[in-house]
Amino acid sequence: MKHIKEFDRFAQDYQKYKIIQSKVAKHLVDNSPYKGRFILDIGAGSGEVYHNIDWEYERFYALDLSSNMLQHHPRKNVETILCDFDEGECWEKIAKLHIDEIFASSSLQWSKDLDQLFWQLKTITPHINLALFTSKTFATMHAMLGISSPIRDAQTLLNIARKYFKFNYEVRQYKLFFSKTEDIFRYIKKSGVSSGYKRAKIGALRRLMREYPYNYLEFEVVFIWSKSS
């Protein structure tokens, strides 16, 4: 799986480029209607959800598919779990734990089977908080390259979620500004938010770097907070 290798390779750089992920995690946690005592963070990375938990809890489980990313996660009262959330054996590990709240910030958009994943979440706890990037992330760049987004649109994400949860949701847009065009492409490479641009031809990428009309990147995120009743 290519994205695992990329997260491992750029784990150190990720600490400097996680600006949007930090904003997303804060909004997700700040608006959680429940304050769990046994928390699972799926796609925990270097601890953006962890850093925003402002209530007392008994145990925090940090799950990620990159061992290098987990090396940067805080360790105080934390158990790290190295596994891929799209694999059944991962959920066998999770099923053995006592968990009363789940967070997943900026990670589940990469799932190969969201139906199966959301069903698994529902079996663990009714208290679920999700933030997923949508296909409108890097929309201008994709349009200029003539490629489609590698991730789902907001409506598709919400339609899948409705099969399994009752929830409140919000769709938010973000812009991240840069002083130089080359910084935009450096960010894409090292931030962990893939644009799908590697599927484009080399000539098209070079032209994009010359002609990209903005000094910012656009992002769209769907936030989902489940209702327990």
Side-chain angles (χ1 to χ4, degrees):
M1 297 177 67
K2 185 176 294 184
H3 63 282
I4 296 178
K5 294 179 181 178
E6 288 176 350
F7 274 120
D8 280 342
R9 180 180 177 186
F10 297 118
Q12 184 63 50
D13 290 315
Y14 177 79
Q15 309 312 305
K16 299 183 294 184
Y17 290 93
K18 58 184 181 180
I19 300 168
I20 296 298
Q21 290 91 333
S22 296
K23 291 180 179 292
V24 169
K26 178 173 175 52
H27 188 68
L28 183 67
V29 174
D30 285 352
N31 289 276
S32 170
Y34 184 75
K35 310 298 181 186
R37 298 189 64 82
F38 298 89
I39 300 168
L40 172 65
D41 181 12
I42 301 175
S46 59
E48 293 311 300
V49 166
Y50 174 91
H51 288 303
N52 284 285
I53 299 293
D54 61 358
W55 61 88
E56 291 188 8
Y57 59 89
E58 294 189 36
R59 197 66 175 162
F60 189 98
Y61 299 98
L63 184 154
D64 205 281
L65 49 71
S66 167
S67 59
N68 286 348
M69 291 295 291
L70 285 176
Q71 287 178 8
H72 296 283
H73 197 286
R75 297 293 180 170
K76 183 179 180 181
N77 202 23
V78 171
E79 179 178 332
T80 59
I81 303 171
L82 179 64
C83 68
D84 183 343
F85 54 65
D86 270 330
E87 299 297 331
E89 61 189 31
C90 189
W91 292 98
E92 291 175 7
K93 293 181 181 180
I94 294 171
K96 297 175 182 178
L97 306 174
H98 175 59
I99 294 166
D100 63 1
E101 183 167 26
I102 292 175
F103 288 91
S105 182
S106 307
S107 59
L108 300 192
Q109 66 270 3
W110 301 119
S111 175
K112 299 187 297 290
D113 189 346
L114 266 185
D115 273 278
Q116 176 65 19
L117 181 55
F118 284 177
W119 179 84
Q120 294 281 12
L121 295 177
K122 184 180 179 179
T123 66
I124 301 298
T125 176
H127 306 295
I128 298 166
N129 311 278
L130 311 175
L132 301 92
F133 285 98
T134 82
S135 60
K136 287 188 178 181
T137 297
F138 304 152
T140 300
M141 184 173 293
H142 289 150
M144 292 181 67
L145 288 171
I147 61 176
S148 59
S149 173
I151 55 181
R152 302 167 181 87
D153 63 84
Q155 195 57 58
T156 297
L157 294 171
L158 292 170
N159 287 343
I160 297 173
R162 287 189 180 102
K163 299 178 187 179
Y164 305 97
F165 319 124
K166 293 181 179 179
F167 58 86
N168 296 315
Y169 77 92
E170 182 181 1
V171 180
R172 302 193 82 177
Q173 287 80 33
Y174 299 86
K175 288 182 179 178
L176 184 59
F177 290 85
F178 300 84
S179 59
K180 296 181 294 184
T181 301
E182 52 263 35
D183 289 341
I184 293 177
F185 293 89
R186 185 178 298 112
Y187 170 87
I188 291 170
K189 184 177 183 181
K190 296 187 177 183
S191 68
V193 183
S194 172
S195 66
Y197 74 98
K198 288 187 176 181
R199 293 180 289 127
K201 295 180 179 179
I202 296 297
L205 287 172
R206 289 174 177 168
R207 185 172 61 253
L208 178 65
M209 292 183 72
R210 293 194 306 268
E211 299 177 359
Y212 189 71
Y214 303 119
N215 65 340
Y216 61 81
L217 288 170
E218 67 264 76
F219 303 80
E220 184 178 80
V221 180
V222 170
F223 294 87
I224 294 173
W225 298 278
S226 67
K227 300 177 182 179
S228 57
S229 59

